[in-house]
Amino acid sequence: MTVMSVPRFERFFRAAAGLDVDKNDLKRYSDFVNGKLYDLLLIAEATAKANVRDVILPWDLPITKGLQESIHRFRALDQEIELKPILDQLTTHPALDRTPDADTEARYPEIIGGLSLALAQTFKIVYPDVKNPQTQHWERVGRLFDLLL
């Protein structure tokens, strides 16, 4: 993550949920979104395999109604923050047996954006008074996402 992107991430979390994050949070954030993207891709890979395809297509991704709504809200918020180009660089492609096609890969930044928005808002639901999430907050919210995604 480039130093220039840190202020944008800080602005994003403030706009999304009124949270103040720092560089340590951004490392946790990066680990979170890459882990959740990998989880989604594992299920998408199984779907592609079940459909006897060597490639993962966009509709193989298990995007829930809630995540889809978060993606739409992210798009609106991103127009003012312009985080999507940074998310393009942040995304790491995990090793899989099936290869995602270009359309699937092109969705990664918005999926990560939707996950990011859901993450920020989950902090506020679970910890309404927290302004600066600490390690224990990140761990608990991460466990919630592990249960659901």
Side-chain angles (χ1 to χ4, degrees):
M1 185 174 343
T2 65
V3 174
M4 283 180 37
S5 66
V6 172
R8 285 191 195 176
F9 279 106
E10 291 171 343
R11 273 194 358 223
F12 171 78
F13 276 94
R14 270 194 304 277
L19 296 173
D20 294 322
V21 294
D22 57 29
K23 284 185 181 184
N24 292 329
D25 292 321
L26 296 178
K27 168 68 171 121
R28 292 181 196 122
Y29 163 78
S30 177
D31 292 344
F32 170 83
V33 294
N34 280 306
K36 291 298 118 199
L37 179 62
Y38 181 72
D39 291 347
L40 292 171
L41 285 168
L42 282 178
I43 300 304
E45 181 178 50
T47 301
K49 184 177 182 179
N51 287 301
V52 194
R53 279 187 274 103
D54 290 334
V55 297
I56 297 172
L57 300 175
W59 50 84
D60 293 329
L61 292 164
I63 305 296
T64 63
K65 176 184 175 280
L67 180 52
Q68 186 63 47
E69 289 171 356
S70 291
I71 291 169
H72 288 302
R73 287 192 309 270
F74 168 76
R75 287 178 187 145
L77 185 61
D78 190 47
Q79 288 180 359
E80 48 186 90
I81 298 175
E82 297 179 3
L83 196 58
K84 191 175 173 217
I86 296 166
L87 295 179
D88 265 330
Q89 298 169 8
L90 179 67
T91 306
T92 58
H93 186 280
L96 302 165
D97 291 335
R98 303 287 193 271
T99 305
D101 75 348
D103 290 338
T104 303
E105 289 181 340
R107 292 199 64 199
Y108 291 177
E110 286 189 339
I111 291 169
I112 289 175
L115 286 168
S116 302
L117 189 63
L119 172 70
Q121 292 176 342
T122 300
F123 278 116
K124 291 315 276 185
I125 292 168
V126 176
Y127 302 105
D129 298 327
V130 166
K131 291 292 183 195
N132 186 353
Q134 301 300 307
T135 301
Q136 70 270 20
H137 303 124
W138 280 92
E139 289 172 356
R140 181 168 287 170
V141 168
R143 287 195 314 261
L144 282 172
F145 273 84
D146 288 343
L147 284 173
L148 299 171
L149 288 181

